[in-house]
Amino acid sequence: MNDSDNVKVLEPLIYELSRPGRQAVTLPECDVPESEFPADLLRDPEDVLLPEVSQIDVVRHFVHLSQFNHGVDTGFYPLGSCTMKYNPKINEDTARLPGFARIHPLQDPLQVQGALGLMWDLQNWLAEISGMAGVSLQPAAGAQGEFSGVLMMRKYHRDRGDTRRTKIIVPDSSHGTNPATASMVGLEVIQVPSDPNGDVDRAALLSVCGDDVVGMMLTVPNTLGLFESHVQEIIEIVHGCGGLMYMDGANLNALMGIAKPGDLGFDVMHFNLHKTFSTPHGGGGPGSGPVGAAEHMLPYLPGPVVGVVEEPSDEEEAPLYGWVMPERSIGRVKSFYGNFGILVRAFTYILANGPEGLRQVSEHAVLNANYIQARLCDAYKVACERFCMHEFVAEGCWDDAPGVRALDISKRLMDFGIHPPTNYFPLIVHEALMIEPTETESKEMLDRFVEVMLQIAEEARSNPDILHSAPHNTPVRRLDEVKAAKDQVLCYGPVCGG
Ligand SMILES: *Cc1c(COP(=O)(O)O)cnc(C)c1O
């Protein structure tokens, strides 16, 4: 296999394209009367410093930028925990239907019954998939779903006059958003360790459970890609001390049609529509992290949610939908009603797959991860040697290849047009490489990835320099990631005063 396989070396990007007088479009003659604009609101065109470019300059600039990026539409993207599955293009077609794309959130609900009906169905489908009693579609990300869920749990206790509960339990394998959101709610985070099998250490959990605990946040399957073996016992322990159970459902891709968090006994959970339900993510685009509630937590859901305000008089007709604020709601967590365009995409995905299809999605996601784990486990140390769910964690280091780190393996993967796995997470695995292939990849792609990984394991001994100096054929080479995070330049040219 050759370094330049599949990878096109791109020209460096030239930023300064502006030339005085150049323009991309010509506007038609104005055919409405001109109106006066208040002089104090007008800016001097000399001060605005907009680039003056032709249409082809603009198109090339943005197309080049897009080619610098690795996306799921350009190559394999096994970024663990992030579920970078393929986003079917029919989702984009439905989201662009004028009836969905051109409505306004302030429109009278009577004029947007179709959109409300879609949200009503999606609320119910997510409830059905998860075994929860109800769902609010408001939160705009997984982390915001967590924030909403923890607020709901706190309010539930306060409503019962139980104000001593100020602590929340989080396993050491949890996603960073769990302790972060719980602290934002003002709770004290207690971390419990994992046992040698990668499950929650139940003795440690027992020792911190008490009447000062709001509840526990548990990721299932956890971030080692393992189904919590004693999930029911953990839930019993926490419920036993009066606490509530929150499920971080970002990894629901492994469970659809197989296990329901509501049946397991979770009180609150969130979904990541932009992971499990194939809506695009990355690059800071809009996400969606609906929150689900068991019966006793329904009154606390963020709102408004879609409800039926009038049953139809005859069975053939649709009910009348409207906005309903849950009785003891924690309130609004997002302007308007969530990221509606993302909801349309997730709705399309669920409708297109159906119940059988969603179960198949999870089965194939788990099968693909186990296939890669089985083929790599002689060459790489796998954190917990048991069947994994939709992802697994390998150690990116060897005793006989000193100096080679997970980062070097990741950078070398880029030479083959493959996005690196998640690095250095979960924190409890040394030199972690968290690999999640998803169900949308073919066996050929999985085999290619395995072969590249085996080649890299070989190079780590025979030619470690090629790993240390990777990537070799990307538009930019190894970045100084600390400088990139701490010393950001977010403007360009005259606007920066430069
Ligand atoms: C992605 C993820 C989150 C956070 O979701 P965002 O939408 O990125 O805020 C939380 N927990 C787990 C396990 C995740 O994988």
Side-chain angles (χ1 to χ4, degrees):
M1 208 169 293
N2 188 307
D3 266 8
S4 55
D5 265 9
N6 280 340
V7 178
K8 186 169 144 233
V9 179
L10 300 159
E11 293 294 318
L13 194 68
I14 299 167
Y15 261 89
E16 195 41 77
L17 300 170
S18 185
R19 294 292 177 274
R22 228 168 249 180
Q23 62 188 71
V25 289
T26 316
L27 295 176
E29 284 292 310
C30 181
D31 60 357
V32 292
E34 282 188 29
S35 67
E36 285 294 309
F37 208 66
D40 58 330
L41 292 179
L42 285 177
R43 289 170 78 184
D44 184 346
E46 295 292 311
D47 291 343
V48 182
L49 298 169
L50 291 174
E52 296 178 76
V53 284
S54 68
Q55 205 171 93
I56 194 171
D57 291 335
V58 179
V59 169
R60 283 189 183 152
H61 177 76
F62 285 107
V63 172
H64 281 172
L65 270 182
S66 75
Q67 289 172 324
F68 276 31
N69 239 335
H70 185 96
V72 72
D73 287 353
T74 40
F76 189 41
Y77 209 141
L79 192 67
S81 215
C82 296
T83 313
M84 305 303 286
K85 64 168 76 178
Y86 176 66
N87 314 131
K89 297 303 168 242
I90 190 174
N91 297 353
E92 301 304 313
D93 292 343
T94 53
R96 282 166 179 72
L97 288 172
F100 291 138
R102 297 201 189 146
I103 54 177
H104 193 281
L106 290 180
Q107 246 165 296
D108 187 323
L110 287 176
Q111 297 173 335
V112 291
Q113 283 293 304
L116 267 66
L118 178 143
M119 293 173 79
W120 168 256
D121 284 345
L122 184 58
Q123 287 173 188
N124 293 331
W125 293 348
L126 292 175
E128 170 67 28
I129 291 166
S130 63
M132 290 280 149
V135 170
S136 166
L137 303 173
Q138 273 218 345
Q144 208 188 17
E146 291 171 33
F147 180 69
S148 310
V150 177
L151 277 177
M152 290 165 62
M153 288 158 63
R154 192 182 65 170
K155 189 158 181 173
Y156 170 84
H157 291 304
R158 287 189 175 176
D159 262 10
R160 297 156 65 246
D162 195 350
T163 52
R164 271 168 315 169
R165 296 183 183 268
T166 53
K167 297 181 178 164
I168 192 140
I169 303 169
V170 174
D172 62 357
S173 62
S174 82
H175 194 272
T177 48
N178 290 191
T181 46
S183 325
M184 275 180 72
V185 173
L187 302 179
E188 188 190 327
V189 177
I190 311 176
Q191 187 174 292
V192 288
S194 305
D195 68 16
N197 280 327
D199 294 314
V200 168
D201 183 328
R202 283 163 290 153
L205 174 64
L206 262 174
S207 73
V208 295
C209 264
D211 60 6
D212 55 353
V213 164
V214 167
M216 178 180 193
M217 300 177 87
L218 191 66
T219 309
V220 187
N222 68 22
T223 60
L224 295 166
L226 302 173
F227 191 88
E228 233 0 283
S229 317
H230 309 284
V231 62
Q232 303 231 251
E233 196 183 328
I234 292 169
I235 293 175
E236 276 164 29
I237 293 173
V238 174
H239 281 166
C241 72
L244 294 169
M245 281 303 292
Y246 182 90
M247 186 171 120
D248 179 333
N251 289 340
L252 199 67
N253 209 44
L255 301 183
M256 286 185 297
I258 299 165
K260 296 185 180 189
D263 293 352
L264 291 172
F266 284 96
D267 302 287
V268 189
M269 69 171 290
H270 83 266
F271 307 78
N272 277 63
L273 299 191
H274 49 286
K275 293 179 181 170
T276 314
F277 299 99
S278 86
T279 70
H281 57 303
S288 182
V291 57
E295 195 73 38
H296 54 288
M297 299 303 289
L298 281 179
Y300 301 97
L301 279 174
V305 296
V306 175
V308 170
V309 292
E310 202 180 298
E311 291 292 349
S313 48
D314 122 35
E315 264 177 36
E316 302 283 289
E317 276 174 39
L320 186 68
Y321 302 107
W323 298 114
V324 180
M325 203 63 181
E327 215 177 312
R328 301 285 307 150
S329 176
I330 57 161
R332 243 177 218 286
V333 295
K334 164 95 175 66
S335 57
F336 301 116
Y337 311 111
N339 280 325
F340 179 68
I342 298 301
L343 304 181
V344 178
R345 290 170 173 87
F347 173 94
T348 308
Y349 180 77
I350 295 175
L351 188 63
N353 278 288
E356 280 308 310
L358 291 181
R359 185 184 167 104
Q360 250 175 34
V361 163
S362 288
E363 287 172 349
H364 290 173
V366 172
L367 180 63
N368 283 1
N370 275 287
Y371 178 71
I372 295 182
Q373 176 175 267
R375 285 205 59 195
L376 287 185
C377 71
D378 287 337
Y380 288 80
K381 276 181 271 183
V382 174
C384 292
E385 289 181 348
R386 46 191 244 208
F387 282 118
C388 64
M389 298 292 286
H390 64 308
E391 63 193 1
F392 69 96
V393 184
E395 288 183 36
C397 60
W398 301 272
D399 295 339
D400 58 347
V404 171
R405 309 179 58 211
L407 186 71
D408 301 312
I409 298 168
S410 289
K411 296 294 183 193
R412 180 70 176 135
L413 274 168
M414 296 167 74
D415 282 341
F416 299 93
I418 294 173
H419 195 284
T422 297
N423 267 206
Y424 302 113
F425 174 75
L427 303 173
I428 53 174
V429 178
H430 186 53
E431 295 293 325
L433 286 171
M434 187 191 213
I435 299 170
E436 178 180 9
T438 83
E439 73 285 356
T440 56
E441 299 299 331
S442 65
K443 175 153 183 303
E444 291 72 28
M445 181 54 82
L446 304 183
D447 284 333
R448 175 169 159 78
F449 174 69
V450 166
E451 264 130 47
V452 170
M453 286 293 281
L454 295 177
Q455 177 181 330
I456 292 174
E458 213 277 308
E459 286 172 349
R461 279 82 171 195
S462 63
N463 186 9
D465 285 346
I466 202 167
L467 303 196
H468 295 311
S469 57
H472 303 98
N473 50 17
T474 46
V476 284
R477 301 285 296 274
R478 201 174 281 219
L479 300 173
D480 180 340
E481 292 180 19
V482 176
K483 189 172 164 60
K486 297 222 154 147
D487 189 12
Q488 297 188 338
V489 182
L490 299 173
C491 55
Y492 174 73
V495 194
C496 274

Short mmCIF file of all heavy atoms in Angstrom, two decimals, residues 262-318:
data_model
loop_
_atom_site.label_atom_id
_atom_site.label_comp_id
_atom_site.label_asym_id
_atom_site.label_seq_id
_atom_site.Cartn_x
_atom_site.Cartn_y
_atom_site.Cartn_z
N GLY A 262 -35.90 2.80 29.31
CA GLY A 262 -37.06 2.91 30.21
C GLY A 262 -37.35 1.58 30.89
O GLY A 262 -37.64 1.54 32.10
N ASP A 263 -37.25 0.48 30.15
CA ASP A 263 -37.48 -0.84 30.74
C ASP A 263 -36.41 -1.18 31.78
O ASP A 263 -36.67 -1.89 32.74
CB ASP A 263 -37.46 -1.94 29.66
CG ASP A 263 -38.63 -1.82 28.69
OD1 ASP A 263 -39.53 -0.98 28.96
OD2 ASP A 263 -38.65 -2.54 27.68
N LEU A 264 -35.19 -0.69 31.54
CA LEU A 264 -34.11 -0.98 32.50
C LEU A 264 -34.33 -0.23 33.82
O LEU A 264 -33.79 -0.62 34.84
CB LEU A 264 -32.75 -0.58 31.90
CG LEU A 264 -32.25 -1.43 30.72
CD1 LEU A 264 -31.01 -0.81 30.10
CD2 LEU A 264 -31.94 -2.84 31.19
N GLY A 265 -35.11 0.85 33.77
CA GLY A 265 -35.41 1.59 35.01
C GLY A 265 -34.83 2.98 35.08
O GLY A 265 -34.84 3.62 36.13
N PHE A 266 -34.33 3.50 33.94
CA PHE A 266 -33.82 4.87 33.95
C PHE A 266 -34.97 5.87 34.07
O PHE A 266 -36.06 5.64 33.54
CB PHE A 266 -32.99 5.15 32.69
CG PHE A 266 -31.64 4.51 32.74
CD1 PHE A 266 -31.42 3.27 32.14
CD2 PHE A 266 -30.59 5.14 33.39
CE1 PHE A 266 -30.16 2.67 32.21
CE2 PHE A 266 -29.33 4.55 33.45
CZ PHE A 266 -29.12 3.31 32.86
N ASP A 267 -34.70 6.99 34.75
CA ASP A 267 -35.74 8.00 34.99
C ASP A 267 -35.71 9.09 33.93
O ASP A 267 -36.76 9.65 33.58
CB ASP A 267 -35.54 8.63 36.37
CG ASP A 267 -35.56 7.57 37.47
OD1 ASP A 267 -36.65 7.06 37.77
OD2 ASP A 267 -34.48 7.22 38.00
N VAL A 268 -34.52 9.43 33.47
CA VAL A 268 -34.34 10.51 32.49
C VAL A 268 -33.20 10.10 31.56
O VAL A 268 -32.29 9.38 31.98
CB VAL A 268 -33.94 11.85 33.17
CG1 VAL A 268 -33.97 13.00 32.18
CG2 VAL A 268 -34.82 12.17 34.36
N MET A 269 -33.26 10.54 30.31
CA MET A 269 -32.15 10.25 29.39
C MET A 269 -32.12 11.29 28.27
O MET A 269 -33.06 12.08 28.13
CB MET A 269 -32.31 8.88 28.75
CG MET A 269 -33.46 8.80 27.77
SD MET A 269 -33.51 7.25 26.81
CE MET A 269 -32.09 7.45 25.74
N HIS A 270 -31.03 11.31 27.53
CA HIS A 270 -31.04 12.12 26.31
C HIS A 270 -30.65 11.25 25.13
O HIS A 270 -30.06 10.19 25.27
CB HIS A 270 -30.12 13.34 26.42
CG HIS A 270 -28.68 13.06 26.13
ND1 HIS A 270 -27.76 12.77 27.12
CD2 HIS A 270 -27.99 13.01 24.97
CE1 HIS A 270 -26.58 12.56 26.57
NE2 HIS A 270 -26.68 12.69 25.27
N PHE A 271 -31.03 11.72 23.96
CA PHE A 271 -30.71 11.10 22.67
C PHE A 271 -29.78 12.04 21.92
O PHE A 271 -29.87 13.25 22.10
CB PHE A 271 -31.97 10.96 21.79
CG PHE A 271 -33.13 10.28 22.46
CD1 PHE A 271 -33.92 10.95 23.37
CD2 PHE A 271 -33.44 8.97 22.16
CE1 PHE A 271 -35.00 10.33 23.98
CE2 PHE A 271 -34.51 8.34 22.77
CZ PHE A 271 -35.30 9.02 23.68
N ASN A 272 -28.93 11.51 21.08
CA ASN A 272 -28.19 12.36 20.16
C ASN A 272 -28.72 12.08 18.76
O ASN A 272 -28.28 11.13 18.11
CB ASN A 272 -26.69 12.06 20.21
CG ASN A 272 -25.99 12.76 21.34
OD1 ASN A 272 -26.30 12.52 22.50
ND2 ASN A 272 -25.07 13.64 21.03
N LEU A 273 -29.65 12.91 18.29
CA LEU A 273 -30.17 12.69 16.94
C LEU A 273 -29.04 12.77 15.92
O LEU A 273 -29.05 12.08 14.91
CB LEU A 273 -31.26 13.71 16.60
CG LEU A 273 -32.51 13.70 17.49
CD1 LEU A 273 -33.59 14.58 16.87
CD2 LEU A 273 -33.03 12.30 17.73
N HIS A 274 -28.05 13.65 16.22
CA HIS A 274 -26.94 13.82 15.27
C HIS A 274 -25.92 12.69 15.40
O HIS A 274 -24.87 12.75 14.78
CB HIS A 274 -26.28 15.19 15.45
CG HIS A 274 -25.96 15.53 16.88
ND1 HIS A 274 -26.92 15.88 17.78
CD2 HIS A 274 -24.79 15.55 17.54
CE1 HIS A 274 -26.36 16.11 18.95
NE2 HIS A 274 -25.07 15.91 18.84
N LYS A 275 -26.16 11.69 16.19
CA LYS A 275 -25.32 10.49 16.14
C LYS A 275 -26.19 9.33 15.67
O LYS A 275 -26.11 8.89 14.54
CB LYS A 275 -24.71 10.19 17.52
CG LYS A 275 -23.71 11.25 17.96
CD LYS A 275 -23.14 10.96 19.33
CE LYS A 275 -22.17 12.07 19.73
NZ LYS A 275 -21.76 11.98 21.14
N THR A 276 -27.08 8.88 16.57
CA THR A 276 -27.86 7.68 16.31
C THR A 276 -28.75 7.80 15.08
O THR A 276 -28.95 6.83 14.35
CB THR A 276 -28.73 7.37 17.55
OG1 THR A 276 -27.92 7.49 18.71
CG2 THR A 276 -29.34 5.99 17.48
N PHE A 277 -29.34 8.97 14.87
CA PHE A 277 -30.37 9.09 13.83
C PHE A 277 -29.87 9.84 12.59
O PHE A 277 -30.66 10.48 11.90
CB PHE A 277 -31.65 9.68 14.43
CG PHE A 277 -32.20 8.79 15.52
CD1 PHE A 277 -31.96 9.07 16.85
CD2 PHE A 277 -32.90 7.63 15.22
CE1 PHE A 277 -32.42 8.23 17.86
CE2 PHE A 277 -33.36 6.78 16.22
CZ PHE A 277 -33.12 7.08 17.54
N SER A 278 -28.58 9.74 12.36
CA SER A 278 -27.96 10.09 11.07
C SER A 278 -28.12 11.53 10.63
O SER A 278 -28.09 11.82 9.44
CB SER A 278 -28.49 9.15 9.95
OG SER A 278 -29.69 9.63 9.38
N THR A 279 -28.28 12.46 11.58
CA THR A 279 -28.30 13.85 11.11
C THR A 279 -26.86 14.36 11.16
O THR A 279 -26.09 13.94 12.02
CB THR A 279 -29.26 14.73 11.95
OG1 THR A 279 -28.73 14.92 13.26
CG2 THR A 279 -30.63 14.08 12.03
N PRO A 280 -26.48 15.23 10.22
CA PRO A 280 -25.07 15.59 10.09
C PRO A 280 -24.54 16.30 11.34
O PRO A 280 -25.28 17.00 12.01
CB PRO A 280 -25.05 16.54 8.89
CG PRO A 280 -26.44 16.73 8.45
CD PRO A 280 -27.34 15.91 9.28
N HIS A 281 -23.28 16.08 11.65
CA HIS A 281 -22.67 16.85 12.73
C HIS A 281 -21.18 17.01 12.51
O HIS A 281 -20.60 16.42 11.62
CB HIS A 281 -22.96 16.24 14.09
CG HIS A 281 -22.54 14.82 14.29
ND1 HIS A 281 -22.96 13.79 13.50
CD2 HIS A 281 -21.75 14.25 15.22
CE1 HIS A 281 -22.45 12.64 13.96
NE2 HIS A 281 -21.71 12.91 14.99
N GLY A 282 -20.60 17.81 13.35
CA GLY A 282 -19.20 18.19 13.18
C GLY A 282 -19.16 19.58 12.62
O GLY A 282 -20.12 20.06 12.03
N GLY A 283 -18.04 20.27 12.86
CA GLY A 283 -17.90 21.61 12.34
C GLY A 283 -18.84 22.61 12.98
O GLY A 283 -19.07 23.69 12.44
N GLY A 284 -19.42 22.28 14.12
CA GLY A 284 -20.23 23.26 14.84
C GLY A 284 -21.61 23.47 14.27
O GLY A 284 -22.30 24.42 14.63
N GLY A 285 -22.06 22.59 13.37
CA GLY A 285 -23.41 22.73 12.83
C GLY A 285 -24.45 22.42 13.87
O GLY A 285 -24.12 22.01 14.98
N PRO A 286 -25.74 22.63 13.53
CA PRO A 286 -26.78 22.42 14.52
C PRO A 286 -26.90 20.95 14.89
O PRO A 286 -26.79 20.07 14.04
CB PRO A 286 -28.05 22.92 13.83
CG PRO A 286 -27.75 22.84 12.38
CD PRO A 286 -26.26 23.03 12.23
N GLY A 287 -27.13 20.68 16.16
CA GLY A 287 -27.35 19.31 16.63
C GLY A 287 -28.73 19.20 17.24
O GLY A 287 -29.54 20.13 17.15
N SER A 288 -29.00 18.06 17.84
CA SER A 288 -30.27 17.91 18.54
C SER A 288 -30.13 16.83 19.61
O SER A 288 -29.73 15.71 19.31
CB SER A 288 -31.37 17.55 17.55
OG SER A 288 -32.60 17.46 18.24
N GLY A 289 -30.45 17.19 20.83
CA GLY A 289 -30.30 16.26 21.97
C GLY A 289 -31.57 16.15 22.79
O GLY A 289 -31.61 16.53 23.95
N PRO A 290 -32.67 15.61 22.18
CA PRO A 290 -33.93 15.49 22.91
C PRO A 290 -33.75 14.80 24.26
O PRO A 290 -32.85 13.96 24.43
CB PRO A 290 -34.80 14.64 21.99
CG PRO A 290 -34.25 14.87 20.63
CD PRO A 290 -32.78 15.06 20.82
N VAL A 291 -34.63 15.14 25.20
CA VAL A 291 -34.54 14.53 26.52
C VAL A 291 -35.82 13.74 26.76
O VAL A 291 -36.92 14.19 26.42
CB VAL A 291 -34.22 15.60 27.59
CG1 VAL A 291 -35.22 16.72 27.62
CG2 VAL A 291 -34.06 15.00 28.97
N GLY A 292 -35.66 12.53 27.30
CA GLY A 292 -36.80 11.64 27.55
C GLY A 292 -37.02 11.49 29.05
O GLY A 292 -36.08 11.57 29.84
N ALA A 293 -38.29 11.27 29.42
CA ALA A 293 -38.63 11.18 30.84
C ALA A 293 -39.54 9.99 31.10
O ALA A 293 -40.45 9.71 30.32
CB ALA A 293 -39.34 12.46 31.28
N ALA A 294 -39.29 9.29 32.22
CA ALA A 294 -40.23 8.28 32.70
C ALA A 294 -41.46 9.00 33.26
O ALA A 294 -41.42 10.21 33.51
CB ALA A 294 -39.57 7.40 33.75
N GLU A 295 -42.54 8.26 33.45
CA GLU A 295 -43.83 8.83 33.84
C GLU A 295 -43.72 9.92 34.93
O GLU A 295 -44.22 11.03 34.77
CB GLU A 295 -44.74 7.69 34.32
CG GLU A 295 -46.21 8.02 34.41
CD GLU A 295 -46.89 8.12 33.05
OE1 GLU A 295 -46.54 7.33 32.15
OE2 GLU A 295 -47.75 9.02 32.91
N HIS A 296 -43.04 9.60 36.03
CA HIS A 296 -42.98 10.53 37.17
C HIS A 296 -42.13 11.75 36.89
O HIS A 296 -42.15 12.71 37.65
CB HIS A 296 -42.46 9.81 38.43
CG HIS A 296 -41.14 9.12 38.21
ND1 HIS A 296 -41.01 7.98 37.45
CD2 HIS A 296 -39.89 9.41 38.64
CE1 HIS A 296 -39.74 7.59 37.43
NE2 HIS A 296 -39.04 8.45 38.13
N MET A 297 -41.35 11.74 35.77
CA MET A 297 -40.51 12.90 35.45
C MET A 297 -41.12 13.76 34.34
O MET A 297 -40.59 14.82 34.01
CB MET A 297 -39.12 12.42 35.01
CG MET A 297 -38.35 11.64 36.05
SD MET A 297 -38.13 12.55 37.60
CE MET A 297 -36.95 13.80 37.10
N LEU A 298 -42.25 13.30 33.76
CA LEU A 298 -42.88 14.02 32.64
C LEU A 298 -43.18 15.49 32.93
O LEU A 298 -42.94 16.34 32.07
CB LEU A 298 -44.18 13.32 32.22
CG LEU A 298 -44.09 12.08 31.34
CD1 LEU A 298 -45.49 11.53 31.07
CD2 LEU A 298 -43.36 12.39 30.04
N PRO A 299 -43.68 15.82 34.12
CA PRO A 299 -44.05 17.22 34.36
C PRO A 299 -42.86 18.18 34.31
O PRO A 299 -43.05 19.38 34.21
CB PRO A 299 -44.64 17.21 35.78
CG PRO A 299 -44.94 15.79 36.10
CD PRO A 299 -44.01 14.96 35.28
N TYR A 300 -41.63 17.63 34.39
CA TYR A 300 -40.45 18.49 34.50
C TYR A 300 -39.77 18.75 33.15
O TYR A 300 -38.83 19.53 33.06
CB TYR A 300 -39.44 17.86 35.48
CG TYR A 300 -40.04 17.69 36.85
CD1 TYR A 300 -40.58 16.47 37.25
CD2 TYR A 300 -40.11 18.77 37.73
CE1 TYR A 300 -41.16 16.33 38.50
CE2 TYR A 300 -40.69 18.63 38.98
CZ TYR A 300 -41.22 17.41 39.36
OH TYR A 300 -41.80 17.29 40.59
N LEU A 301 -40.22 18.07 32.10
CA LEU A 301 -39.57 18.21 30.79
C LEU A 301 -39.46 19.68 30.37
O LEU A 301 -40.37 20.48 30.65
CB LEU A 301 -40.38 17.47 29.72
CG LEU A 301 -40.19 15.96 29.59
CD1 LEU A 301 -41.19 15.40 28.58
CD2 LEU A 301 -38.76 15.60 29.19
N PRO A 302 -38.35 20.05 29.68
CA PRO A 302 -38.30 21.40 29.13
C PRO A 302 -39.39 21.57 28.08
O PRO A 302 -39.79 20.60 27.44
CB PRO A 302 -36.90 21.49 28.51
CG PRO A 302 -36.44 20.08 28.32
CD PRO A 302 -37.16 19.24 29.33
N GLY A 303 -39.87 22.77 27.93
CA GLY A 303 -40.97 22.97 27.00
C GLY A 303 -40.88 24.30 26.30
O GLY A 303 -39.94 25.06 26.54
N PRO A 304 -41.85 24.63 25.46
CA PRO A 304 -43.03 23.81 25.21
C PRO A 304 -42.75 22.57 24.37
O PRO A 304 -41.81 22.55 23.58
CB PRO A 304 -43.96 24.77 24.45
CG PRO A 304 -43.07 25.76 23.82
CD PRO A 304 -41.88 25.89 24.71
N VAL A 305 -43.62 21.55 24.57
CA VAL A 305 -43.58 20.37 23.73
C VAL A 305 -44.85 20.37 22.88
O VAL A 305 -45.77 21.14 23.14
CB VAL A 305 -43.50 19.07 24.57
CG1 VAL A 305 -42.21 19.01 25.37
CG2 VAL A 305 -44.70 18.96 25.51
N VAL A 306 -44.88 19.49 21.88
CA VAL A 306 -46.09 19.41 21.06
C VAL A 306 -47.11 18.50 21.76
O VAL A 306 -46.76 17.43 22.25
CB VAL A 306 -45.78 18.86 19.65
CG1 VAL A 306 -47.07 18.66 18.85
CG2 VAL A 306 -44.84 19.79 18.91
N GLY A 307 -48.33 18.96 21.85
CA GLY A 307 -49.39 18.15 22.43
C GLY A 307 -50.63 18.18 21.55
O GLY A 307 -50.73 19.00 20.62
N VAL A 308 -51.55 17.25 21.80
CA VAL A 308 -52.83 17.26 21.10
C VAL A 308 -53.77 18.18 21.89
O VAL A 308 -54.04 17.91 23.06
CB VAL A 308 -53.41 15.83 21.01
CG1 VAL A 308 -54.85 15.86 20.51
CG2 VAL A 308 -52.55 14.97 20.09
N VAL A 309 -54.19 19.27 21.27
CA VAL A 309 -55.07 20.19 22.00
C VAL A 309 -56.55 19.91 21.71
O VAL A 309 -57.42 20.36 22.44
CB VAL A 309 -54.73 21.68 21.73
CG1 VAL A 309 -53.37 22.02 22.33
CG2 VAL A 309 -54.74 21.99 20.25
N GLU A 310 -56.81 19.18 20.65
CA GLU A 310 -58.20 18.81 20.36
C GLU A 310 -58.23 17.49 19.60
O GLU A 310 -57.60 17.36 18.54
CB GLU A 310 -58.85 19.91 19.51
CG GLU A 310 -60.36 19.92 19.59
CD GLU A 310 -60.91 21.05 18.71
OE1 GLU A 310 -60.59 22.23 18.98
OE2 GLU A 310 -61.62 20.74 17.74
N GLU A 311 -58.90 16.52 20.17
CA GLU A 311 -59.03 15.22 19.49
C GLU A 311 -59.94 15.40 18.27
O GLU A 311 -60.86 16.22 18.30
CB GLU A 311 -59.64 14.18 20.44
CG GLU A 311 -58.74 13.78 21.60
CD GLU A 311 -57.51 12.99 21.19
OE1 GLU A 311 -57.44 12.56 20.01
OE2 GLU A 311 -56.61 12.82 22.03
N PRO A 312 -59.69 14.65 17.20
CA PRO A 312 -60.54 14.79 16.02
C PRO A 312 -61.94 14.24 16.28
O PRO A 312 -62.08 13.29 17.06
CB PRO A 312 -59.82 13.95 14.96
CG PRO A 312 -59.02 12.96 15.74
CD PRO A 312 -58.67 13.60 17.05
N SER A 313 -62.92 14.85 15.63
CA SER A 313 -64.29 14.38 15.84
C SER A 313 -64.51 13.05 15.11
O SER A 313 -65.27 12.21 15.56
CB SER A 313 -65.28 15.43 15.33
OG SER A 313 -64.89 15.84 14.04
N ASP A 314 -63.75 12.87 14.01
CA ASP A 314 -63.93 11.61 13.29
C ASP A 314 -62.56 10.96 13.08
O ASP A 314 -61.53 11.63 12.97
CB ASP A 314 -64.77 11.91 12.04
CG ASP A 314 -64.16 11.56 10.71
OD1 ASP A 314 -63.45 10.57 10.61
OD2 ASP A 314 -64.44 12.32 9.75
N GLU A 315 -62.53 9.66 13.10
CA GLU A 315 -61.28 8.91 13.16
C GLU A 315 -60.35 9.13 11.97
O GLU A 315 -59.15 8.94 12.08
CB GLU A 315 -61.59 7.41 13.26
CG GLU A 315 -61.57 6.93 14.69
CD GLU A 315 -61.95 5.46 14.78
OE1 GLU A 315 -61.57 4.71 13.87
OE2 GLU A 315 -62.63 5.08 15.76
N GLU A 316 -60.94 9.53 10.85
CA GLU A 316 -60.14 9.73 9.63
C GLU A 316 -59.27 10.98 9.73
O GLU A 316 -58.28 11.09 9.02
CB GLU A 316 -61.08 9.89 8.41
CG GLU A 316 -62.01 8.73 8.19
CD GLU A 316 -61.29 7.56 7.53
OE1 GLU A 316 -60.96 7.67 6.35
OE2 GLU A 316 -61.05 6.54 8.22
N GLU A 317 -59.68 11.90 10.58
CA GLU A 317 -59.00 13.20 10.61
C GLU A 317 -57.83 13.22 11.59
O GLU A 317 -57.79 12.44 12.54
CB GLU A 317 -59.99 14.29 10.98
CG GLU A 317 -60.78 14.78 9.78
CD GLU A 317 -61.85 15.77 10.18
OE1 GLU A 317 -61.58 16.59 11.08
OE2 GLU A 317 -62.94 15.69 9.60
N ALA A 318 -56.91 14.19 11.36
CA ALA A 318 -55.78 14.35 12.27
C ALA A 318 -56.24 15.18 13.47
O ALA A 318 -57.16 15.99 13.34
CB ALA A 318 -54.64 15.04 11.55
#
